[in-house]
Amino acid sequence: MLPFTAEVFFSFIGRYNAAIWPLPVLGWLICLAAAGLTLRANGATGRVIAGLLAVAWAWTGIVFHQFHFSEIFFAAPLFAAAFILQAALFAWIGFFRTTSLHLQSDPVGGAGLGLVVFALLGWPVVDWLNTGEWQSVRLAGTTPAPTVLFTLGVLLLAEGRPPLYLAVIPLLWALLGGVGAWVLQAPETTSLPLAGIGAFGLMIWKSRRTSATFPRE
Amino acid sequence: MPSSRIEFSRRRLLASVPAAAAAAALPRAAAFAATPGLRRAIPKTGVEVPAIGMGTWITFNVGDDPQLRAQRTQVLQTFFDMGGGVIDSSPMYGSSEEVVGHCLGQISDTASMFSATKVWTWLGMSGPSQIEESRRLWDVDVFDLLQVHNLLSWESHLETLLEQKSAGRIKHIGMTTSHGRRHEELETIMATQPIDCVQLTYNIVDREAERRLLPLAADRGLAVIANRPFRQKQLFHMFSHTPLPEWAAEIGCANWAQFFLKFVISHPAITCAIPATSRVDHMRENMGALREPLPDKSMRERMARYIEGL
């Protein structure tokens, strides 16, 4: 049972967006830039993408969960810790590993692209249709659900063996988020957990299918 | 019940036109409150409270939204207008304590309030600061009741509560559980510890507490606050599609809320039930249970059999 209603949750999203305005747009643009970089295939852009994802997860963990969501939900600090850990993982990837994250011309890549597009464009539309208020729309880069979906989509674009350890926290959050959405009777009741399970499943399948190690330059 | 609010004159000054307008818009509520409602005494101190209180889980966790806060102020105003007293909250309930404090600041007469909150933290050493934060949010100097929420680290928190009671900063000490959990542990605490009150789940379908806890509370002179009297609206989902039985009018029940609440508060060991609502109309229905007659033992059995038969 959640300690708030759907009405209160989306009211909170509206006030959060207003409090950090215009950063929701900037966060979305950061994710859009990361998506654009996946069209290039080299390790340097992979580091930049990882760095941009680190920023998105760090912001969502610290500002959204710890500073704002904790006002209405006692579990928010735990989510903050998980998001900060995920940000640290992406930062480590960006600094110390070469990562090729670019659009693959295969079904896994297609699924990844689909998730990326849905997180950037589809999710805000769904929120707007659900609430009727653009202020309460959740955008990738500064709110958890679309950031998680976007991340899962990008991870599906990894060349070679996918980095499964980078998908654990997004998967767990997608499952938790789905439970929360079910309690609130919010639209993402099925889309979040399905995306999480589906993306993780595809990554496992691809990992078993490919014999190549994670590429190094 | 005298108010335990600090800066009482500031509260009067802050009493707002919207609050007065809300009260003026509720003539039935004002007339209702003219007749004293059912009151129960806390056995250890003799302090009396109305038998229907108000919970704040989910319902008052509305954050900074000014519209939602204004609406909750109307709910709270109705509560007081209709003879309410016990307000129960907790740091676990998000912004509920802050919103309660805000709403109280908008209402001119809160003299009947019985402030009941909880301490909810793993670390015993964090208890005093959390309780102090609750005082700040409620804007009270003395809590009428401070409870250990879901028995979390109760041993260390009980020490703190006993100290604060000795210092006059808390009037009563309590322990809470919900959903029928940890009844054995609560029973041990009730039998051995110097507390004044317990809070537990009790309603017309969740009657486990009748077996041991309610008789023990009566024996030990402990007040009992019943949470989840509607099982978090589930009782309405289960039964409200069925018409109220005609004989419900014999006990003054005009709706299912009053039927469920009167069952709860008619148990002799129950001091108060704390239904939660975010709606003025539902608050009116709930507070309508604060009137005689209450079901006697045979009527209670009839009510329980009726529900079992549905």
Side-chain angles (χ1 to χ4, degrees), chain B residues 27-49:
Chain B
R28 288 174 61 192
F32 187 91
T35 311
L38 293 161
R39 298 179 72 83
R40 299 282 165 74
I42 295 173
K44 294 265 178 89
T45 59
V47 168
E48 286 194 350
V49 296

Side-chain angles (χ1 to χ4, degrees), chain B residues 36 59 66 70 87 134 182 192 194 198 236 240 249 281 298:
Chain B
T59 53
I87 301 173
S134 291
R182 304 181 76 176
T192 60
V198 292
F236 296 109
S240 64
D281 55 341
S298 64

Side-chain angles (χ1 to χ4, degrees), chain A residues 13 15 25 32 41 46 81 99 101 109 118 147 159 167-168 170 172-173 181 187:
Chain A
I13 293 293
R15 286 180 285 110
V25 177
L32 183 66
T99 303
L101 289 165
F118 179 70
T147 301
E159 191 174 70
V168 172
L172 290 175
W173 202 95

